[in-house]
Amino acid sequence: MALRGVLRAGEVAIRVMDMKAARQHYGDRMGLHEMMTDDTGRVYYKAWDEHDHHSIVLREADSPGMDYFAFKVFDDATLTTLEQKLEAFGLQVERIEAGVYPKSGRRIQFVLPSGHTMQLYAHKEQVGNTLGLVNPGVVPDEGVIRGFRINRLDHLLLGGGHLDENVRLFTEVFDFDLGEKLVDHESGASLAVFLSCSTKPHDIAFVLQPQQNKFHHVSFLLESAHDVIKAADMIGKYRIPVDVGPNRHGVTRGATIYFFDPSGNRNEVFAEGYVHYPDTPTLVWDTRELGQATFSQDNTPRESFLTVLT
Amino acid sequence: MALRGVLRAGEVAIRVMDMKAARQHYGDRMGLHEMMTDDTGRVYYKAWDEHDHHSIVLREADSPGMDYFAFKVFDDATLTTLEQKLEAFGLQVERIEAGVYPKSGRRIQFVLPSGHTMQLYAHKEQVGNTLGLVNPGVVPDEGVIRGFRINRLDHLLLGGGHLDENVRLFTEVFDFDLGEKLVDHESGASLAVFLSCSTKPHDIAFVLQPQQNKFHHVSFLLESAHDVIKAADMIGKYRIPVDVGPNRHGVTRGATIYFFDPSGNRNEVFAEGYVHYPDTPTLVWDTRELGQATFSQDNTPRESFLTVLT
Amino acid sequence: MALRGVLRAGEVAIRVMDMKAARQHYGDRMGLHEMMTDDTGRVYYKAWDEHDHHSIVLREADSPGMDYFAFKVFDDATLTTLEQKLEAFGLQVERIEAGVYPKSGRRIQFVLPSGHTMQLYAHKEQVGNTLGLVNPGVVPDEGVIRGFRINRLDHLLLGGGHLDENVRLFTEVFDFDLGEKLVDHESGASLAVFLSCSTKPHDIAFVLQPQQNKFHHVSFLLESAHDVIKAADMIGKYRIPVDVGPNRHGVTRGATIYFFDPSGNRNEVFAEGYVHYPDTPTLVWDTRELGQATFSQDNTPRESFLTVLT
Amino acid sequence: MALRGVLRAGEVAIRVMDMKAARQHYGDRMGLHEMMTDDTGRVYYKAWDEHDHHSIVLREADSPGMDYFAFKVFDDATLTTLEQKLEAFGLQVERIEAGVYPKSGRRIQFVLPSGHTMQLYAHKEQVGNTLGLVNPGVVPDEGVIRGFRINRLDHLLLGGGHLDENVRLFTEVFDFDLGEKLVDHESGASLAVFLSCSTKPHDIAFVLQPQQNKFHHVSFLLESAHDVIKAADMIGKYRIPVDVGPNRHGVTRGATIYFFDPSGNRNEVFAEGYVHYPDTPTLVWDTRELGQATFSQDNTPRESFLTVLT
């Protein structure tokens, strides 16, 4: 009870086509901290205020997109319980031994109705946020917060089919809430669903796509809308391709800018947004207000939002 | 699992000595929305972005302080479970029928080791935040967000003895995490404890006091540190007595200003602070860094912080 | 010496096609203060922190655009001096008696090489900013700062030909500095020029246009980039057509959002930007960096910036 | 005309008692850029967005305080004119050849009625702000803006007698405006005067002191109140002694924090404040509102404000 069970998106594994360019993007420019390279060439990053060893894994590949994502759960017993619930839900669950993924305890892995590979794990090596645990103070040394001033991995948005099945899985098995959804005004069909396991307005979201297992974006939490503007300044400085923004989402009320990594994977920096609780009623947007739902400061839907995924 | 069980501080009942002055303070100046007056003369307030009917209850009395506080829990079954756990913990639990407290379902009530009366409830009438639930948009009509631009009731800090017993109760019975604590450097004794049931850095805190059942402050969430500065401007305009601030707490890393209502009850407006998770290690501060722990921008402990309570 | 001579853009007279819609836009939504209607039906507005009686004049007409603009000068002697200098420059100067324009002392009027009607005046009735002049405090009463939270009329951008003649006029006659200019990379021809008579990065600017006497936008000063985001939220709420933004200009480094009034006149809210001094070297942008010069957060030039004027 | 004549505070020469500690303070922590050391051991600093070679000069000495300050004027002819006006005012003016002060053209020097040594100069070597003058962009490379994120030297406040004589000098000789003043409510005597030669609310100020030639503080401009909070976080991190703040001044409406360098010289970081024009009426504060005038967010006058100078 309280915040228990599934805690947060803890790891996203992204395919990039040029690791050198990707390291410049995620490390030098965005300012994530490079933590290690493994013997397969994968590069691991964390945001400064995360305590766990890493949250982003880059793998060089022939096409962009996402290999898998993983949520951290409260403890090992939760993993055991969720394995049973997932199988009862009808999913095939694969067990992965501790250590197969670096710095990580055992995991379970399964495929969502939308085609995405999802993992759960309860343990990852903790390295802290540089402030220490005794009399930590509030400000890390100069240089620790850098680039886009990213605090944490925040959420991800994925594209595929069977959104309502995904919602059923996340709410029934994982106890997420459906915070918001976007529906077709005519048919009532779900076009996008936004799910929360915390007080954040969303921890994961899905958008309807003709293809399974597509990657829309990974989002990073900044401290304030002020920092979204500052990140946008650096995006402009480095000529990073911008998809949309700065703007505000109607869904979540978060301040946002969407941009692309050198391989075409969409990134977001995000701040603010309301405080969500399980007793907050689900907010429903329909296609009459697609502009407001997606980009509320100019009410202009972008075609790329629904069509450009990796 | 996910965010379940005990959700948040949902109601704080404050004694004020002059209701007219209190309404000017909490309503006209701070900008809380007055929702109703009951037949005992109590006045009920909510912050604009709360969905439930009210979160603050004022009662005119001969002395300031807090009558009780109440946390909202996920559902009625949680109430039943917690009643059993509380009794197993050794507390005497009183049942209060639905409707005894206006707009509220049934409650259970008990006294904390620190002497405070705490309640739990699962249901309160929801009135929404004026945006509606269908295509809500992001900005309420002009005048809805006013005064200090308070989004929500955030947390409370209470004074009394037996802090470690309180911690044991909140962690064992309610599954809160001990996010931070302040200890005496010599003895290691707990001087203040900060407990979270969510991703907020604290949902409730206790400070060691020679008297039981004391009220340190109730805190309201603003959108950003920017709004803390703006609230401070209005505090100055209205000559509201300031205790400390604007400043930043070392504990929670939140931006803050402490001020007093006309009866001497301490209020706070608060923003930012880190994102807490149950796997975040407990941060420990000791009395060598009492200044940094409490007011990190000038490292100056204020005597009033430990001595002025109602 | 010090800040003397020509002080600031003090009045912009805008044609609107529907006064009722215009009042809703400039008054109810943007939050300018309506000060009076004259017997020709013109409506006069001021921003809250301006001391003079009005800065915006709306006139109902068959087409949008700008009738004239006026700069305030330090004193009557400055008017006399500038009349002589303007005639020496080769312009025909018309004298307008005090009182012809409401609340205003005498004016001189002339036509710029770009075809715009410009006026100068030294006196306008002062009504203050509601704070008073003795122990004013810092925060006006609630409701005085409203809507987009506009502090002041800031600058205007006008379209026409003969930009270099305009620059010569403003620098030689009025002692403005050419703070920045945008030139064609091939020919070196001026496409836009940005002129300052203060520590603001620009007080007036001109953009090359095939037609004389065109109106690009009038810009209003907000306190911070934070308030630009908040204004953008309200622009979205009211479905006000957005041209570009929120974004940052490369020229001036100011935070911006461009939007249109109901008649199609472009407005801007603006904040930040660097501190300009006469000894700051002129910054030159060329068409290779047209995107960065205009909208530096996405480096994307907008065709409308150069083509949509009233 | 426009902004001409005396432009701004361009150089403040501060005595420090330990240069190593001073370099850590002004350079490593505040983030000013160390530009050079001369053969007398003086160390020269500039803020990132200043174009001139330096604005702060540190000299190691046995006592803290200010050696002199210098304002930059528009051109050499201004220097000549002001020399005559100063002598006509009754001051003795000393000429200092170009090159005596490093990177500087010729200067004139004189002593104010308050006992302070003031200089004027028209030329100083320009080194730019790292962005360049052609297609400069808006964001310098990472590391250029650092520490307290100071944009510029902003203003200074000096203590001494004969405030009204100082006002007469600055307004009659230099064409400054008396933007605000603080007077004794009983006697009407000037306790502090705030003078502007620009659109800033003050460029220099004087506070009544029993001793002549005292130094109250030098102030640095930050981009926003947001950055004042962030600077305060770093002040807390480095345990820099805080005098007052974060807070807001009633006078100027600026966001502020006062702190001390290791030698006890007071520094300030400052942001916001209203836009001043010569036609803005002088604002008068009296001692009944000394708290609001100085620190408007808590209305609490600090004794140190009137008594601690170097």
Side-chain angles (χ1 to χ4, degrees):
Chain A
M1 294 199 293
L3 184 57
R4 289 292 182 267
V6 179
L7 301 181
R8 65 173 176 274
E11 190 171 314
V12 180
I14 300 170
R15 290 190 301 274
V16 297
M17 293 187 294
D18 177 338
M19 187 59 82
K20 188 179 166 192
R23 288 166 92 157
Q24 184 185 52
H25 177 80
Y26 288 96
D28 301 344
R29 293 180 169 176
M30 294 183 67
L32 295 174
H33 290 242
E34 186 175 319
M35 299 302 292
M36 74 170 200
T37 305
D38 71 17
D39 49 20
T40 70
R42 286 175 173 83
V43 184
Y44 295 74
Y45 290 94
K46 75 182 283 288
W48 86 266
D49 202 21
E50 294 170 336
H51 286 262
D52 286 357
H53 180 271
H54 60 267
S55 56
I56 296 291
V57 182
L58 302 184
R59 179 173 71 87
E60 199 167 61
D62 292 337
S63 64
M66 184 188 72
D67 280 341
Y68 67 88
F69 70 96
F71 269 65
K72 192 173 190 184
V73 303
F74 180 66
D75 59 8
D76 195 78
T78 306
L79 269 191
T80 303
T81 304
L82 289 177
E83 182 177 357
Q84 294 161 358
K85 289 181 73 176
L86 283 163
E87 287 175 343
F89 187 85
L91 293 192
Q92 191 171 344
V93 180
E94 180 184 354
R95 293 181 181 183
I96 301 168
E97 292 304 303
V100 172
Y101 286 86
K103 315 288 182 185
S104 172
R106 73 177 181 103
R107 299 186 173 196
I108 59 174
Q109 176 173 298
F110 42 93
V111 177
L112 300 180
S114 56
H116 301 89
T117 298
M118 177 171 176
Q119 300 177 350
L120 299 174
Y121 64 95
H123 294 292
K124 187 182 283 185
E125 187 182 311
Q126 291 202 316
V127 296
N129 64 1
T130 79
L131 291 173
L133 303 181
V134 178
N135 295 326
V138 302
V139 186
D141 290 343
E142 194 140 10
V144 171
I145 305 181
R146 63 196 183 209
F148 295 4
R149 303 181 63 82
I150 292 168
N151 277 16
R152 313 183 55 89
L153 169 61
D154 191 76
H155 67 268
L156 63 171
L157 173 53
L158 305 174
H162 307 287
L163 299 197
D164 294 334
E165 273 301 279
N166 271 12
V167 170
R168 197 166 70 82
L169 170 63
F170 275 82
T171 55
E172 294 183 6
V173 176
F174 299 143
D175 279 339
F176 280 50
D177 312 306
L178 180 62
E180 306 201 35
K181 68 176 171 175
L182 172 67
V183 300
D184 184 275
H185 175 56
E186 307 278 315
S187 67
S190 298
L191 299 181
V193 294
F194 304 85
L195 293 142
S196 173
C197 62
S198 67
T199 53
K200 290 159 38 176
H202 57 356
D203 287 281
I204 192 166
F206 297 94
V207 57
L208 187 64
Q209 285 291 302
Q211 279 186 282
Q212 291 284 86
N213 190 24
K214 300 300 287 180
F215 179 54
H216 190 278
H217 73 264
V218 60
S219 184
F220 298 95
L221 182 68
L222 305 188
E223 189 180 78
S224 63
H226 175 276
D227 280 356
V228 174
I229 299 175
K230 290 297 181 188
D233 283 338
M234 303 197 73
I235 287 168
K237 174 183 177 69
Y238 294 127
R239 271 65 177 171
I240 295 171
V242 170
D243 184 24
V244 187
N247 215 299
R248 189 183 300 280
H249 294 306
V251 173
T252 75
R253 305 201 322 236
T256 178
I257 179 166
Y258 282 145
F259 52 100
F260 295 105
D261 79 7
S263 303
N265 295 300
R266 191 187 278 101
N267 298 160
E268 180 184 45
V269 287
F270 180 90
E272 302 188 348
Y274 56 79
V275 178
H276 168 84
Y277 279 100
D279 62 337
T280 309
T282 298
L283 303 177
V284 181
W285 301 79
D286 64 47
T287 39
R288 293 172 304 180
E289 290 289 357
L290 181 58
Q292 176 82 186
T294 48
F295 303 105
S296 67
Q297 293 182 325
D298 59 16
N299 297 293
T300 306
R302 271 67 169 189
E303 196 193 347
S304 66
F305 182 80
L306 294 174
T307 58
V308 178
L309 294 90
T310 54
Chain B
M1 294 197 293
L3 185 56
R4 290 293 183 267
V6 179
L7 301 180
R8 66 174 175 273
E11 192 171 314
V12 180
I14 300 170
R15 292 188 302 273
V16 297
M17 292 186 294
D18 176 339
M19 187 59 82
K20 190 179 167 193
R23 287 167 94 157
Q24 185 186 50
H25 176 80
Y26 288 96
D28 301 344
R29 294 181 168 175
M30 294 184 67
L32 295 174
H33 291 243
E34 184 175 321
M35 300 302 293
M36 75 171 201
T37 305
D38 72 17
D39 49 20
T40 70
R42 287 175 173 82
V43 185
Y44 295 75
Y45 289 94
K46 75 183 284 288
W48 86 266
D49 202 22
E50 294 170 335
H51 286 262
D52 285 357
H53 181 272
H54 60 267
S55 55
I56 296 291
V57 182
L58 302 183
R59 179 172 71 87
E60 201 168 62
D62 292 336
S63 64
M66 185 188 71
D67 280 339
Y68 67 89
F69 71 96
F71 268 64
K72 193 174 190 185
V73 303
F74 180 65
D75 59 9
D76 196 77
T78 305
L79 270 191
T80 302
T81 304
L82 290 176
E83 182 177 358
Q84 293 162 357
K85 290 180 72 176
L86 284 162
E87 288 175 341
F89 187 86
L91 294 191
Q92 189 170 347
V93 180
E94 179 184 354
R95 294 180 181 182
I96 300 167
E97 291 305 303
V100 171
Y101 286 85
K103 314 291 182 184
S104 172
R106 74 177 182 101
R107 300 187 172 194
I108 58 175
Q109 176 174 300
F110 44 93
V111 177
L112 300 181
S114 56
H116 301 90
T117 299
M118 178 172 174
Q119 300 178 349
L120 300 174
Y121 64 95
H123 294 290
K124 188 181 284 186
E125 187 182 311
Q126 291 202 314
V127 296
N129 64 1
T130 78
L131 291 172
L133 303 180
V134 178
N135 294 326
V138 302
V139 186
D141 290 343
E142 193 140 9
V144 172
I145 306 181
R146 63 195 183 210
F148 296 2
R149 304 181 63 81
I150 292 169
N151 278 16
R152 313 184 55 89
L153 169 60
D154 191 77
H155 66 269
L156 63 172
L157 172 53
L158 305 175
H162 307 287
L163 298 197
D164 295 333
E165 272 303 279
N166 271 13
V167 170
R168 197 166 70 82
L169 170 64
F170 274 82
T171 54
E172 294 183 7
V173 176
F174 298 145
D175 279 340
F176 280 49
D177 313 307
L178 179 63
E180 307 200 33
K181 67 175 170 177
L182 172 67
V183 300
D184 184 275
H185 175 55
E186 307 277 316
S187 68
S190 298
L191 299 181
V193 295
F194 303 86
L195 294 143
S196 173
C197 62
S198 67
T199 53
K200 292 160 35 178
H202 58 355
D203 287 281
I204 192 166
F206 297 94
V207 58
L208 186 66
Q209 285 292 304
Q211 278 187 281
Q212 291 284 86
N213 190 23
K214 300 300 287 182
F215 179 54
H216 190 279
H217 73 264
V218 60
S219 183
F220 298 94
L221 182 68
L222 304 189
E223 190 181 77
S224 62
H226 175 276
D227 280 356
V228 174
I229 299 174
K230 290 296 182 187
D233 284 337
M234 304 195 73
I235 287 168
K237 174 183 178 68
Y238 295 127
R239 272 66 177 171
I240 295 170
V242 170
D243 183 25
V244 187
N247 215 298
R248 189 183 299 281
H249 295 305
V251 173
T252 75
R253 304 201 321 237
T256 178
I257 180 167
Y258 282 143
F259 52 100
F260 294 105
D261 80 6
S263 303
N265 295 300
R266 191 186 279 100
N267 297 160
E268 180 184 45
V269 287
F270 181 90
E272 301 186 348
Y274 58 79
V275 178
H276 168 85
Y277 279 101
D279 61 337
T280 309
T282 298
L283 303 176
V284 180
W285 302 79
D286 62 46
T287 38
R288 292 171 304 176
E289 290 289 355
L290 181 59
Q292 176 82 187
T294 48
F295 303 105
S296 66
Q297 293 182 325
D298 59 17
N299 297 294
T300 307
R302 269 71 169 185
E303 194 192 347
S304 66
F305 183 80
L306 294 174
T307 58
V308 178
L309 293 90
T310 55
Chain C
M1 295 198 294
L3 184 58
R4 289 292 182 269
V6 179
L7 301 181
R8 67 173 174 272
E11 190 171 315
V12 180
I14 300 169
R15 291 189 302 275
V16 298
M17 293 189 293
D18 177 339
M19 187 59 83
K20 188 178 166 193
R23 287 167 92 156
Q24 185 185 49
H25 176 80
Y26 289 96
D28 301 343
R29 293 180 170 177
M30 294 183 67
L32 295 173
H33 291 242
E34 185 174 319
M35 298 303 292
M36 75 171 198
T37 306
D38 72 16
D39 48 21
T40 69
R42 286 175 174 81
V43 184
Y44 296 74
Y45 290 93
K46 75 182 284 290
W48 87 265
D49 202 22
E50 295 170 336
H51 286 261
D52 285 358
H53 181 271
H54 60 268
S55 55
I56 296 291
V57 183
L58 302 183
R59 179 173 71 86
E60 199 167 62
D62 292 337
S63 64
M66 185 188 72
D67 280 339
Y68 67 89
F69 71 96
F71 268 66
K72 192 174 191 183
V73 303
F74 180 66
D75 59 10
D76 196 77
T78 305
L79 269 190
T80 303
T81 304
L82 289 177
E83 181 177 359
Q84 293 161 0
K85 289 181 73 175
L86 284 162
E87 288 175 342
F89 187 86
L91 293 191
Q92 192 171 344
V93 179
E94 180 184 353
R95 293 181 181 182
I96 301 168
E97 291 305 303
V100 172
Y101 286 86
K103 314 290 182 185
S104 171
R106 75 178 180 100
R107 298 187 174 195
I108 60 174
Q109 176 173 297
F110 43 93
V111 176
L112 299 181
S114 56
H116 302 90
T117 298
M118 178 171 174
Q119 300 177 349
L120 299 173
Y121 64 95
H123 295 291
K124 188 182 283 185
E125 187 182 310
Q126 291 200 315
V127 296
N129 65 2
T130 78
L131 291 173
L133 303 180
V134 178
N135 294 327
V138 302
V139 186
D141 290 343
E142 194 140 11
V144 172
I145 306 180
R146 63 197 183 208
F148 296 3
R149 304 183 63 82
I150 292 170
N151 277 16
R152 312 185 57 89
L153 169 61
D154 190 78
H155 66 269
L156 63 172
L157 172 53
L158 305 174
H162 308 288
L163 298 197
D164 295 333
E165 272 303 279
N166 271 14
V167 170
R168 197 165 70 82
L169 170 63
F170 274 83
T171 55
E172 294 182 7
V173 176
F174 298 143
D175 279 339
F176 279 50
D177 313 305
L178 180 62
E180 306 200 35
K181 69 176 170 176
L182 172 68
V183 301
D184 184 275
H185 175 56
E186 307 277 317
S187 67
S190 298
L191 299 181
V193 295
F194 303 85
L195 293 142
S196 173
C197 61
S198 67
T199 53
K200 291 160 36 178
H202 58 353
D203 286 281
I204 192 166
F206 298 94
V207 58
L208 187 64
Q209 284 292 302
Q211 277 187 284
Q212 291 284 86
N213 191 25
K214 300 300 286 182
F215 179 54
H216 190 279
H217 73 264
V218 59
S219 182
F220 298 94
L221 183 68
L222 305 189
E223 191 181 76
S224 63
H226 175 276
D227 281 355
V228 174
I229 299 174
K230 290 296 181 188
D233 283 336
M234 303 196 74
I235 287 169
K237 174 183 177 68
Y238 295 128
R239 272 66 178 171
I240 294 171
V242 170
D243 184 24
V244 187
N247 215 298
R248 189 183 299 280
H249 294 306
V251 173
T252 75
R253 304 203 318 236
T256 179
I257 180 166
Y258 282 145
F259 52 99
F260 295 105
D261 79 6
S263 301
N265 295 300
R266 190 187 278 101
N267 298 160
E268 180 184 45
V269 287
F270 180 90
E272 302 188 347
Y274 56 79
V275 177
H276 167 85
Y277 280 101
D279 62 338
T280 310
T282 298
L283 303 177
V284 181
W285 301 79
D286 64 46
T287 37
R288 292 172 304 179
E289 290 290 356
L290 182 57
Q292 175 84 184
T294 48
F295 303 105
S296 67
Q297 292 181 326
D298 59 15
N299 296 293
T300 306
R302 269 70 169 186
E303 196 192 347
S304 66
F305 182 81
L306 295 173
T307 59
V308 177
L309 295 91
T310 55
Chain D
M1 294 197 295
L3 184 57
R4 289 292 181 267
V6 179
L7 301 181
R8 66 173 175 273
E11 191 170 313
V12 180
I14 300 169
R15 291 189 302 274
V16 297
M17 292 187 293
D18 176 340
M19 186 59 81
K20 188 178 168 195
R23 287 167 94 156
Q24 183 185 52
H25 177 79
Y26 288 96
D28 301 344
R29 293 180 169 177
M30 295 183 66
L32 295 174
H33 291 241
E34 184 175 320
M35 299 302 292
M36 73 171 200
T37 305
D38 72 17
D39 49 20
T40 70
R42 286 175 173 82
V43 184
Y44 296 74
Y45 290 94
K46 76 183 283 289
W48 86 266
D49 202 23
E50 295 170 335
H51 286 261
D52 286 357
H53 181 271
H54 59 267
S55 55
I56 296 291
V57 182
L58 302 184
R59 179 173 72 85
E60 201 169 60
D62 291 337
S63 64
M66 184 187 71
D67 280 339
Y68 68 88
F69 71 96
F71 268 65
K72 193 175 191 184
V73 303
F74 180 65
D75 59 9
D76 194 78
T78 305
L79 270 190
T80 304
T81 304
L82 290 177
E83 181 177 357
Q84 294 162 359
K85 290 181 72 176
L86 283 162
E87 287 175 343
F89 187 86
L91 293 192
Q92 191 171 345
V93 180
E94 179 185 355
R95 293 182 182 180
I96 301 168
E97 292 305 302
V100 171
Y101 286 86
K103 314 289 182 185
S104 170
R106 74 179 181 99
R107 299 187 172 195
I108 58 175
Q109 177 174 296
F110 43 93
V111 176
L112 300 182
S114 56
H116 301 90
T117 299
M118 177 172 175
Q119 301 177 349
L120 299 174
Y121 64 95
H123 294 292
K124 188 180 284 184
E125 187 182 311
Q126 291 201 316
V127 296
N129 64 1
T130 78
L131 290 172
L133 303 180
V134 178
N135 294 326
V138 303
V139 185
D141 290 342
E142 192 139 10
V144 172
I145 307 179
R146 62 194 183 211
F148 296 3
R149 303 181 63 82
I150 293 169
N151 277 16
R152 312 184 57 88
L153 170 60
D154 191 77
H155 67 268
L156 62 173
L157 173 52
L158 305 174
H162 308 288
L163 298 198
D164 295 334
E165 272 303 279
N166 271 13
V167 169
R168 197 166 70 82
L169 170 64
F170 274 83
T171 56
E172 294 182 7
V173 176
F174 299 143
D175 279 341
F176 280 50
D177 312 307
L178 180 62
E180 307 200 33
K181 68 175 171 177
L182 172 67
V183 302
D184 183 275
H185 175 56
E186 307 276 317
S187 67
S190 298
L191 299 181
V193 294
F194 303 86
L195 293 143
S196 173
C197 62
S198 67
T199 53
K200 290 158 38 176
H202 57 354
D203 287 280
I204 192 166
F206 297 95
V207 58
L208 187 65
Q209 284 293 304
Q211 278 186 282
Q212 292 284 87
N213 190 24
K214 300 302 286 180
F215 179 54
H216 190 279
H217 73 264
V218 60
S219 183
F220 298 94
L221 183 68
L222 304 189
E223 191 180 78
S224 63
H226 175 276
D227 281 356
V228 174
I229 300 174
K230 289 297 181 188
D233 284 336
M234 302 194 74
I235 287 168
K237 174 183 178 67
Y238 295 127
R239 271 65 177 173
I240 294 171
V242 170
D243 183 26
V244 188
N247 216 298
R248 188 182 300 280
H249 295 306
V251 173
T252 75
R253 304 202 320 238
T256 179
I257 180 167
Y258 282 144
F259 53 99
F260 295 105
D261 79 5
S263 303
N265 294 300
R266 191 188 277 100
N267 299 158
E268 180 185 44
V269 287
F270 181 89
E272 301 188 347
Y274 56 79
V275 178
H276 168 84
Y277 280 102
D279 63 336
T280 309
T282 297
L283 304 177
V284 181
W285 301 80
D286 64 46
T287 37
R288 294 172 303 178
E289 290 290 354
L290 182 58
Q292 175 82 186
T294 48
F295 303 104
S296 67
Q297 292 181 326
D298 59 16
N299 297 295
T300 306
R302 269 70 170 186
E303 196 193 347
S304 66
F305 182 81
L306 294 173
T307 58
V308 178
L309 294 90
T310 55

